[in-house]
């Protein structure tokens, strides 16, 4: 669940991006997991999906090795694009997804996360993410 004012817009990084629609302070809460808007499925459930469904899951979601589940968000957080100079990061003191601002963010800036926090370089390359 997104906890800030936002807008979706064209991204220079990748297609559509999530942009702050307010000024945000470093450390401010951006996103938390939602039991209603997030989905985790087992490897067996993933393998029971047809090829098109698996492709969608791989594109929008990711594998969580420690939990042995595929995860996908069904809210706008899926539009947070990858950047090595991310504006949001996982708060490592929390077990569930809990994204906070890495620095002060101005209204109009794109929200980005370094996907290497939860995926390998191999997986990113296979998804076409640089």
């Amino acid at each position: 669940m997104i906890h800030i004012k936002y807008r979706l817009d064209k991204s220079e990084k990748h297609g559509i991006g999530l942009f702050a629609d307010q000024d945000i302070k470093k450390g401010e809460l951006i996103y938390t997991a939602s039991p209603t808007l997030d989905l985790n499925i087992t490897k067996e459930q993933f393998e029971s999906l047809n090829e098109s469904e698996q492709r969608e899951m791989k594109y929008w979601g990711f594998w969580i090795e420690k939990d042995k589940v595929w995860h996908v968000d069904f809210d706008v957080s899926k539009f947070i694009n990858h950047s090595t100079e991310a504006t949001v990061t996982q708060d490592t003191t929390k077990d569930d997804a809990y994204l906070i601002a890495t620095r002060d963010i101005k209204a109009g800036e794109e929200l980005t996360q370094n996907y290497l926090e939860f995926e390998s370089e191999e997986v990113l390359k296979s998804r076409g993410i640089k």
Side-chain angles (χ1 to χ4, degrees):
M1 168 177 206
I2 299 290
H3 296 277
I4 56 146
K5 292 180 185 176
Y6 66 86
R7 65 182 169 78
L8 296 176
D9 206 342
K10 184 174 166 84
S11 169
E12 291 182 9
K13 298 191 181 315
H14 181 80
I16 297 171
L18 188 68
F19 291 79
D21 211 19
Q22 68 179 69
D23 290 343
I24 301 167
K25 295 286 185 197
K26 180 179 180 176
E28 189 172 332
L29 177 63
I30 305 291
Y31 167 86
T32 54
S34 166
T36 306
L37 298 176
D38 295 340
L39 174 69
N40 290 324
I41 66 171
T42 65
K43 182 179 180 184
E44 292 76 21
Q45 290 170 312
F46 175 83
E47 290 172 352
S48 74
L49 300 174
N50 67 42
E51 186 177 320
S52 178
E53 292 167 328
Q54 287 182 5
R55 193 170 40 253
E56 285 291 306
M57 192 67 158
K58 286 179 179 179
Y59 185 83
W60 291 109
F62 55 92
W63 175 252
I64 302 174
E65 180 63 33
K66 75 176 183 72
D67 297 330
K68 305 290 189 220
V69 295
W70 280 94
H71 175 85
V72 68
D73 299 319
F74 284 96
D75 61 13
V76 296
S77 66
K78 64 186 173 190
F79 293 105
I80 297 174
N81 288 318
H82 169 69
S83 175
T84 55
E85 296 177 14
T87 57
V88 304
T89 189
Q90 171 66 32
D91 181 338
T92 56
T93 66
K94 309 287 184 193
D95 288 334
D96 289 330
Y98 194 97
L99 299 180
I100 58 173
T102 60
R103 59 172 174 75
D104 290 349
I105 302 168
K106 294 285 186 194
E109 282 189 71
E110 184 171 2
L111 301 178
T112 59
Q113 182 178 8
N114 187 337
Y115 289 3
L116 293 173
E117 290 183 345
F118 56 89
E119 289 186 307
S120 70
E121 285 187 45
E122 294 171 350
V123 170
L124 292 182
K125 285 179 186 175
S126 74
R127 293 175 58 199
I129 298 171
K130 298 176 184 176

